[in-house]
Amino acid sequence: MSRGPRGVGRLNALPPHDAERELLSCCGSRTWARAVADGRPYPDAAALKAACDAAFTRLTWEDVEEALSRHPRIGDRPAGADRESAWSRGEQSGVAGADREVTRRLHEGNLEYEKRFGHVFLICATGLDAGRMLEALTERLGNDTATERRIVREELAKIARLRLDKLLEHP
């Protein structure tokens, strides 16, 4: 019994609205999701990833802020049963076993970062332990706004690419 198309073929076959919804689980910017969905059909995953990267270059800061609003603070584990919450929990699994002091410092650092930059601290946390996330947070608090915005865009793109891989592998 066939389960239908998988991977890029599955994404190509979806109606536009459904494709955008699926892509929003990879990056919370509607502009990005629409641009990637509108570029279909893609011949393969490499072409899809190239379109993903190209769409990031066209995002305004407001588009990035929209995407950031869908990300929890580092250390805050979303409780939802949806795909995005599950992915976030997995990505932040390095915080799960952190001692109280590191957890406390992450929480305080998140608040300081949000006060300084006006948005959630974003890092591609996959494969990082809590200590490394705290170290990056502390380092980035010293950045100027332009530098931090560049880094946030890079981190958001990394997360989107990882999630896109997950979407293609396990819809």
Side-chain angles (χ1 to χ4, degrees), residues 3-63:
R3 293 184 295 173
R6 294 189 52 84
V8 176
R10 178 184 163 281
L11 185 64
N12 285 339
L14 292 173
H17 177 75
D18 292 342
E20 283 183 38
R21 183 177 36 81
E22 290 289 287
L23 290 162
L24 276 170
S25 67
C26 299
C27 174
S29 163
R30 290 180 304 228
T31 299
W32 179 87
R34 189 173 310 112
V36 176
D38 287 350
R40 295 171 310 141
Y42 296 105
D44 54 34
L48 174 59
K49 288 178 183 179
C52 167
D53 292 344
F56 268 106
T57 67
R58 297 186 299 272
L59 294 183
T60 65
W61 183 249
E62 290 75 26
D63 295 326

Side-chain angles (χ1 to χ4, degrees), residues 75 93-107 129-131 134:
S93 63
V95 177
D99 67 44
R100 286 185 187 192
E101 178 62 17
V102 171
T103 303
R104 182 190 64 75
R105 290 177 58 203
L106 273 171
H107 177 74
D129 65 21
L134 178 59

Side-chain angles (χ1 to χ4, degrees), residues 58-171:
R58 297 186 299 272
L59 294 183
T60 65
W61 183 249
E62 290 75 26
D63 295 326
V64 171
E65 288 181 313
E66 178 186 25
L68 291 173
S69 72
R70 294 178 62 135
H71 283 272
R73 286 182 178 140
I74 293 293
D76 289 356
R77 295 177 54 84
D82 60 288
R83 177 190 311 151
E84 219 171 327
S85 295
W87 285 350
S88 184
R89 285 190 299 273
E91 292 159 0
Q92 291 194 36
S93 63
V95 177
D99 67 44
R100 286 185 187 192
E101 178 62 17
V102 171
T103 303
R104 182 190 64 75
R105 290 177 58 203
L106 273 171
H107 177 74
E108 289 174 359
N110 278 321
L111 296 176
E112 183 179 349
Y113 181 95
E114 290 169 22
K115 185 176 180 182
R116 174 156 166 61
F117 295 109
H119 57 80
V120 70
F121 170 70
L122 187 75
I123 187 167
C124 182
T126 300
L128 300 179
D129 65 21
R132 178 61 192 116
M133 289 181 235
L134 178 59
E135 182 180 306
L137 172 57
T138 303
E139 288 172 12
R140 287 173 51 190
L141 278 166
N143 289 341
D144 60 64
T145 300
T147 300
E148 190 55 24
R149 284 184 175 189
R150 179 186 53 77
I151 293 170
V152 165
R153 284 177 180 274
E154 291 168 0
E155 295 298 310
L156 188 61
K158 286 181 204 174
I159 293 166
R161 287 180 127 252
L162 287 171
R163 289 182 174 187
L164 189 59
D165 285 342
K166 292 174 188 176
L167 180 68
L168 295 178
E169 292 170 13
H170 308 285

